[in-house]
Amino acid sequence: VDGTGQFCSVQGALDAVSARNASATTITIENGTYFEIIHAASKNNVTLRGRDRKQTIILGVNNDALNPGTATRSLVGIDNSSGFVVENLTIHNLTPQGGTQAEALRMQSCDQCVVRHADIISLQDTLLWSGRIYANDCYIEGNVDFVWGTGAAFFENCEIKTVGRAGYVVQARNTAGKSGYVFVDSKITAGPGITGIVLGRIDVSVYPASHVAYINCQMGSHIAPAGWTITGGAASANLRFLEYKSTDLSGAPLDVTRRIVYGR
């Protein structure tokens, strides 16, 4: 942003990468706050790397009221790309509570993509990920279905935090036979005074094969005893809402005897 680099915006640097790029390309973002909406498509083998996770910040407002539709309402959106990496930065959609769906990071038709060492912040619909995506050492903040999409996403050593109000963590819209959203060795936390959080929900009349799993995760007391919720009818045999060896935030085994069980 101070003019010392090759580009003065992240969008400008991405635009300079040719479509269907074949070679590994790294865009280094120097420390600073970048007020912009970023959308890119067909950018393969690109790494978007901040200089410092807390000091390299992509910031702005975008949402469904301003730009209706999932393809246009995110702050950062990556489409139809493979091998795309986002790391070592913060992405923060400033849309306020009640400001409609406002993804901070949307990755659709993103194959073998990676998000690591990153803070991703919004309120409603923080992440929309579809394809095959791996997340490691990420902090993700929101409150209404703020992790959602149709693809397979694997989260490892991440913190998923509900802020502002009670809500739902995950809505996985995968089809039958396809993997959904899996969280391993992660923390599911909440802001002060927030209770009754649902780990995952889905309308089974539309997405009867939703798949969400929490494995070896720490969870705060804010999680509702039932854990999960469905609408639209009875659960099908293909619905998989799964939990294995959950603990409280101190590492003690969690009482899950009141959980609703969907799938094996």
Side-chain angles (χ1 to χ4, degrees):
V1 292
D2 63 3
T4 58
Q6 292 174 284
F7 302 90
C8 60
S9 70
V10 180
Q11 185 70 63
L14 277 170
D15 288 345
V17 179
S18 62
R20 306 299 177 187
N21 178 62
S23 60
T25 300
T26 297
I27 297 171
T28 301
I29 311 172
E30 291 294 343
N31 290 343
T33 301
Y34 298 80
F35 294 93
E36 52 182 308
I37 296 171
I38 299 165
H39 285 165
S42 303
K43 304 294 184 180
N44 298 334
N45 308 308
V46 173
T47 295
L48 203 60
R49 178 183 297 152
R51 184 68 73 184
D52 183 279
R53 176 173 179 167
K54 300 297 184 181
Q55 297 185 61
T56 304
I57 304 167
I58 298 171
L59 193 69
V61 175
N62 199 15
N63 53 61
D64 201 68
L66 293 174
N67 293 295
T70 56
T72 52
R73 71 191 187 200
S74 61
L75 190 64
V76 177
I78 308 299
D79 292 291
N80 303 310
S81 300
S82 64
F84 198 98
V85 178
V86 176
E87 64 182 11
N88 212 40
L89 49 70
T90 294
I91 301 172
H92 189 175
N93 192 329
L94 293 169
T95 297
Q97 192 71 60
T100 72
Q101 300 98 323
E103 283 84 2
L105 177 59
R106 178 183 58 83
M107 306 180 85
Q108 290 191 280
S109 298
C110 203
D111 189 51
Q112 296 185 7
C113 296
V114 175
V115 182
R116 59 189 171 215
H117 317 314
D119 295 349
I120 316 294
I121 300 168
S122 188
L123 291 171
Q124 184 171 353
D125 295 0
T126 303
L127 300 184
L128 166 52
W129 288 359
S130 299
R132 293 189 295 170
I133 302 170
Y134 171 71
N136 179 261
D137 184 31
C138 290
Y139 172 81
I140 298 156
E141 181 178 292
N143 59 31
V144 179
D145 297 330
F146 64 103
V147 179
W148 79 286
T150 61
F154 189 95
F155 298 78
E156 188 172 25
N157 295 314
C158 293
E159 181 178 358
I160 317 296
K161 186 171 183 176
T162 300
V163 296
R165 49 149 286 181
Y168 315 91
V169 177
V170 181
Q171 189 176 136
R173 298 181 173 184
N174 55 284
T175 56
K178 300 293 185 179
S179 296
Y181 283 69
V182 177
F183 303 83
V184 176
D185 296 328
S186 295
K187 291 184 178 181
I188 316 302
T189 63
I194 298 175
T195 59
I197 303 302
V198 173
L199 292 169
R201 71 164 176 170
I202 202 68
D203 182 345
V204 294
S205 68
V206 184
Y207 303 102
S210 181
H211 172 222
V212 181
Y214 294 88
I215 301 169
N216 296 330
C217 289
Q218 296 181 330
M219 301 181 184
S221 58
H222 63 287
I223 300 298
W228 313 88
T229 188
I230 63 171
T231 58
S236 73
N238 290 322
L239 180 68
R240 293 163 295 159
F241 283 172
L242 308 170
E243 193 176 352
Y244 178 74
K245 288 193 174 180
S246 296
T247 71
D248 63 20
L249 295 178
S250 66
L254 198 65
D255 179 6
V256 295
T257 57
R258 298 168 64 187
R259 290 283 198 266
I260 299 173
V261 178
Y262 299 115
R264 298 293 182 192

